Amino acid sequence: MSSEDAVVAFRASPRGSRAGFVVLPDGAGGALTVTVLPKPWKPSTRRHLLIPEHVPGTSTHAALYEGESAEMASTPRVVGTLTRALLDLGDREGRKDLLQLVSARRSSTNPPPASADSFESVVRLMLLARRQRIALDDHPYRGAAAESLLRVVEQQLFVEEVRRVIDRARPGYQERADRLSNPRGALSGTSLALTLLTGTPEVDCRFDEQTMDTPVLRIVLAALRAVATDDTPAVFSHLAAPVRSQAVAVARRLDSVTVLERERALLAARQLVLRNLERPWASAVEQAVQVLSRTSVLPLDGRAGTERAVAIHLSMEKWWEQCLLGALQHVADPGTTHPQAPVGSPWAPASGTPKPEGRNADFIFVLNGRCFLADAKYKVDETSLGASDGDQMFAYSHTAVLPGSDFLTEAGAVFYAQPVRGTVRSREVLFRTTAPRYELQLLDLPFPSPTDIRTDATWRVYLEGLADGIRQALAPVATTPEPSLPSCGGGHRLSPPPMRSMRSL
């Protein structure tokens, strides 16, 4: 860093609840892009990143985890532009929790400069968004250009898959009809008769010919051409350009394959039946259909430039709730999982007017006939149940009922997202100090790794493993007999064991 350089410093997700992607224009035609990744993925040794000095007009990329900070040197003009972009970002709803300006350290105790992470960090982020997107009907992540970034990531994954299997391409047999002087295959009877009558030394033939021009490679080539010619917003041009170059290079290896238009390629994909030797191409064909089916989306204001900062953010607290919802739907009694279940207030006015509006519990579900209250916590560093969280669970344990009934919950659980692999650990078991007995389990659950979100198959394996871990952890509570209680006063029971009705209190 020269004496004339200035420094801009910022912290990623200061509240530890947002992941996302930010494009900060440098005012000279370049940009600083920052990927903010979930804190459960954070290596314990990396806290402050020294980004290589930014050259005006170029693109610099950095990947940080929630809670980490970084600083970067550049010219005073560029640093001023980046600072204004960060301030503008902080004024927009939702994005203020993504990047926050902080004081530069400029200390010799800082770690040595680290190179920016590759495109892989962006891929991981958008795979997170896609996993939640599959689970929800509404938009799980926000941002004017979110769809465009997801499309670039899909294209990158597709090109990577094609590069992986391109050397396994094998010729296939295609039926061909031609008029030949050296007959082969099935001969046309009419043409043969005419040849005998006229003496013309050619006959119409129908035969199978070995060729690389197969339906599979035609579909793949159409998708590669779509990637190479896609109209991506300028804010993502530095990410899309390498993908396009790779797509062009791979497409050149398929120069003997017939070029299909997008619509014909999609029709061919719907009619395609893979042969045994073409099975390795199944994933590439599936991703080719995704690429061909989607179109690039410009920012909402209609501009494709980089005059203002562009931010895409993902609420990790809601994302963790969606992971748990998928697991609970596997493990709970069928049809009994209720996310964001309404909970009444523990207080009622003396006037007899309706109770004040209550709040929502993250989950209420039934396991082995017993009703559970559950809370999702995206708090990696928390070692015990916080006072406010404990007070909330105490109040909810007295008032939360199974939706559609008046049955009170009989036990509770707090699910903490933790960077543990494959195991569910019981952190602590608490008991309510008021009667009747109410057990609260504090559980450390494995947060999905980048490998878990990579494919549909690995995602299913993760959810099934998470569900099995929750089942085993809650099994003792779900099967513990309830102490004898007074009659429920006419309330219906689920068996076994019986649930307590509000009317029995």
Side-chain angles (χ1 to χ4, degrees), residues 102-114:
V102 296
S103 299
R105 293 186 180 183
R106 297 193 180 188
S107 170
S108 59
T109 59
N110 285 339

Side-chain angles (χ1 to χ4, degrees), residues 205-217:
C205 307
R206 188 174 297 274
F207 53 93
D208 291 335
E209 184 176 60
Q210 194 177 48
T211 175
M212 295 296 292
D213 190 16
T214 63
V216 167
L217 296 182

Side-chain angles (χ1 to χ4, degrees), residues 185-216:
L187 307 182
S188 167
T190 302
S191 176
L192 183 60
L194 289 173
T195 298
L196 294 175
L197 289 174
T198 61
T200 304
E202 292 181 340
V203 63
D204 292 337
C205 307
R206 188 174 297 274
F207 53 93
D208 291 335
E209 184 176 60
Q210 194 177 48
T211 175
M212 295 296 292
D213 190 16
T214 63
V216 167

Side-chain angles (χ1 to χ4, degrees), residues 296-311:
S296 187
V297 181
L298 294 178
L300 293 182
D301 59 7
R303 298 178 298 169
T306 58
E307 292 82 5
R308 291 188 71 190
V310 173

Side-chain angles (χ1 to χ4, degrees), residues 14 48 122 135 153 166 212 221 233 256 305 358 363-364 382 440 445 450 473 484 505:
H48 186 75
V122 184
V153 170
I166 188 67
M212 295 296 292
L221 178 59
S256 62
F363 302 102
I364 293 179
E382 198 169 86
L440 181 64
L445 304 184
S484 59
L505 303 179

Side-chain angles (χ1 to χ4, degrees), residues 44 98 219 223 278 290 293 310 330 375 378 401 420 428 446 489:
S44 58
L98 197 55
I219 296 166
E278 295 173 330
Q290 293 177 355
S293 300
V310 173
H330 276 82
D375 193 27
Y378 184 69
V401 297
V420 295
E428 193 175 4

